[in-house]
Amino acid sequence: MRKANAKERILNTAGKLFFRHGYSEVGINEIIAKAETAKASFYQHYPSKKALCEAWLSDVHYRSEVSRADLLDSDATPRGKIEIYFDQLKSFMEQSEFRGCPYSNTGAVSGGECTGIIEQIQGHKESIRGFLREVCFQHVSDKKKADTLGDRIFLLYSGATTESQNLKEIWPIEIARDAALELIN
Amino acid sequence: MRKANAKERILNTAGKLFFRHGYSEVGINEIIAKAETAKASFYQHYPSKKALCEAWLSDVHYRSEVSRADLLDSDATPRGKIEIYFDQLKSFMEQSEFRGCPYSNTGAVSGGECTGIIEQIQGHKESIRGFLREVCFQHVSDKKKADTLGDRIFLLYSGATTESQNLKEIWPIEIARDAALELIN
DNA sequence: GCCTTTACAGACCGACCTGTCTGTTTATGT
DNA sequence: ACATAAACAGACAGGTCGGTCTGTAAAGGC
């Protein structure tokens, strides 16, 4: 018996490969070879490569949502939560060699023909947006102001991720964090 | 004789296809079929598909740089230039069906192994960043303040492009424009 | 002991990929 | 009229792709 069952091994291996090299650059043969499983085992658990990709994105979404919920319910100040959120992004980008957002990257590959993946991307982005709006609402307690403030921080966050990936540098995240913290004052 | 020579036809056709469907989703055969040329003619002008991609990005960069230089030298106020720049992005996203930035999209595909393309992406991004910094310098005439202000607008611009693409909606650009205009006040 | 489920190995298929090659046609300059 | 270069058509090679198929091995419940 292996350390984990085949389905989990496939999902973990594919996740790493999709994230590092991009969905379209990774083949089924590479996934099953690195996961040390057989092609028949793969198709026993996932009907297609696209379904595996959706399972991966769903898994990432679940974990990130738990993390945001924890941060939202923590006893830090709203301002502190924003700071922590950007610092988490910073360490994520550093330790992932500036690979950026798995959702945006996957969406950039599939030019728009795959509806299932697009829906997951939009759900994930709206989740982050809602989180930032809620944090801001804890700060200003004015729904409308909190929404526009949260949206602006959301765009700073997204831009920081994108350009940190493009330029392979960390300063966009620091600039965005400073700008967000000034906005919330 | 065709309306344009083969090299230009290939570049224009490939540009449209790369932009709409993504670099890795478009093959040589499709390009030459849509460009109504022969494979031998293609390899007479471009040594490889990657070289064609670099030529396309270089062409896009040249045209966008001219556009930014025109805007920079125009007689609009710095604030007006920012506004025009975001409005240009808005109409670009609308008429391109939310395909986003060709550079970021291409960079998301090639996970980092292709240095030539990465250099072009970074050059393009730094060009936009420099443009925004200069516009801000026309406004605040304090080099350090102009730089951080320009960088913040740069991140808003990037985030607006990314999320407008992801969500297939136009509001991120309007939010980013409003935020940028408030920042510059 | 048997039986069902799960995982294994890997051949095989048709389609597609980039890139090479041979040879023909067309346009242009002199 | 003729030479030269560009564009043409398309077969071909060597490889990879996602996905299907047949058959075997091992584990767990009864």
Side-chain angles (χ1 to χ4, degrees):
Chain A
M1 192 61 182
R2 290 262 167 58
K3 45 196 170 185
N5 62 21
K7 191 169 184 178
E8 281 182 14
R9 250 182 302 144
I10 290 169
L11 187 62
N12 292 337
T13 308
K16 285 180 198 163
L17 292 172
F18 284 158
F19 177 59
R20 175 158 308 190
H21 302 107
Y23 171 74
S24 61
E25 302 298 309
V26 179
I28 297 287
N29 297 315
E30 185 182 359
I31 292 170
I32 61 171
K34 295 241 168 74
E36 289 179 306
T37 185
K39 192 172 276 197
S41 308
F42 171 83
Y43 281 100
Q44 222 161 7
H45 294 293
Y46 301 98
S48 67
K49 184 189 173 189
K50 201 188 294 179
L52 173 65
C53 179
E54 292 182 21
W56 165 57
L57 290 178
S58 174
D59 186 52
V60 171
H61 177 63
Y62 171 74
R63 280 197 279 229
S64 77
E65 208 162 36
V66 168
S67 164
R68 283 192 297 276
D70 287 348
L71 182 54
L72 194 65
D73 294 342
S74 75
D75 54 355
T77 65
R79 209 170 169 279
K81 290 173 186 174
I82 296 292
E83 200 168 2
I84 291 171
Y85 194 58
F86 274 91
D87 285 343
Q88 283 177 353
L89 172 65
K90 184 177 167 183
S91 59
F92 170 77
M93 290 298 286
E94 281 170 342
Q95 74 189 32
S96 70
E97 288 175 336
F98 302 98
R99 266 305 289 165
C101 172
Y103 290 85
S104 298
N105 288 339
T106 306
V109 168
S110 63
E113 80 287 357
C114 181
T115 58
I117 290 177
I118 288 181
E119 283 168 15
Q120 289 214 27
I121 296 170
Q122 297 181 350
H124 178 77
K125 294 295 183 176
E126 289 291 359
S127 170
I128 295 177
R129 187 186 174 205
F131 162 77
L132 290 170
R133 281 178 158 200
E134 273 197 66
V135 172
C136 289
F137 186 61
Q138 291 177 348
H139 183 74
V140 302
S141 36
D142 176 332
K143 190 79 179 65
K144 199 159 185 179
K145 279 192 180 177
D147 282 352
T148 64
L149 183 56
D151 286 349
R152 288 179 181 187
I153 295 177
F154 173 62
L155 295 181
L156 284 169
Y157 187 84
S158 171
T161 309
T162 303
E163 298 313 325
S164 175
Q165 174 183 4
N166 281 332
L167 301 171
K168 316 265 181 236
E169 286 174 11
I170 211 67
W171 65 257
I173 296 166
E174 291 165 349
I175 292 273
R177 185 198 54 201
D178 295 346
L181 292 177
E182 280 192 28
L183 277 182
I184 210 172
N185 272 349
Chain B
M1 192 58 183
R2 290 262 167 59
K3 45 197 170 185
N5 62 20
K7 190 169 184 177
E8 281 182 13
R9 251 182 302 144
I10 291 168
L11 186 62
N12 291 337
T13 308
K16 285 179 198 165
L17 293 172
F18 284 159
F19 177 58
R20 174 157 308 190
H21 302 107
Y23 171 73
S24 60
E25 303 297 311
V26 180
I28 298 286
N29 295 317
E30 185 183 357
I31 292 170
I32 61 171
K34 294 242 168 72
E36 290 180 303
T37 183
K39 191 172 278 196
S41 306
F42 171 82
Y43 282 101
Q44 220 162 10
H45 293 295
Y46 300 98
S48 67
K49 183 189 172 189
K50 200 186 298 178
L52 173 64
C53 178
E54 291 181 23
W56 165 56
L57 290 179
S58 174
D59 187 51
V60 172
H61 177 64
Y62 171 74
R63 279 196 280 226
S64 76
E65 209 162 37
V66 167
S67 163
R68 283 192 297 276
D70 287 348
L71 181 55
L72 194 67
D73 294 344
S74 76
D75 54 357
T77 66
R79 210 171 168 279
K81 290 174 185 173
I82 297 291
E83 202 168 1
I84 291 170
Y85 194 57
F86 275 90
D87 286 343
Q88 283 177 352
L89 173 63
K90 184 176 167 184
S91 60
F92 171 76
M93 290 298 284
E94 282 171 341
Q95 75 188 32
S96 70
E97 289 175 336
F98 302 99
R99 269 302 293 165
C101 172
Y103 290 85
S104 297
N105 288 339
T106 306
V109 170
S110 65
E113 80 286 358
C114 180
T115 58
I117 290 177
I118 289 182
E119 284 168 13
Q120 290 214 27
I121 295 171
Q122 297 181 350
H124 178 76
K125 295 292 181 177
E126 290 290 0
S127 170
I128 295 177
R129 187 186 175 204
F131 162 76
L132 290 170
R133 282 180 158 197
E134 272 197 68
V135 172
C136 290
F137 187 60
Q138 292 178 348
H139 183 74
V140 303
S141 35
D142 176 329
K143 191 76 178 66
K144 199 160 187 179
K145 280 192 180 179
D147 282 352
T148 63
L149 184 56
D151 286 348
R152 289 178 181 189
I153 296 177
F154 173 61
L155 296 182
L156 284 169
Y157 187 85
S158 171
T161 309
T162 303
E163 299 311 326
S164 175
Q165 174 182 5
N166 282 331
L167 301 172
K168 316 267 180 232
E169 286 172 12
I170 212 68
W171 63 259
I173 296 165
E174 291 165 349
I175 292 273
R177 184 199 52 201
D178 294 347
L181 292 179
E182 279 192 28
L183 276 181
I184 212 173
N185 273 350

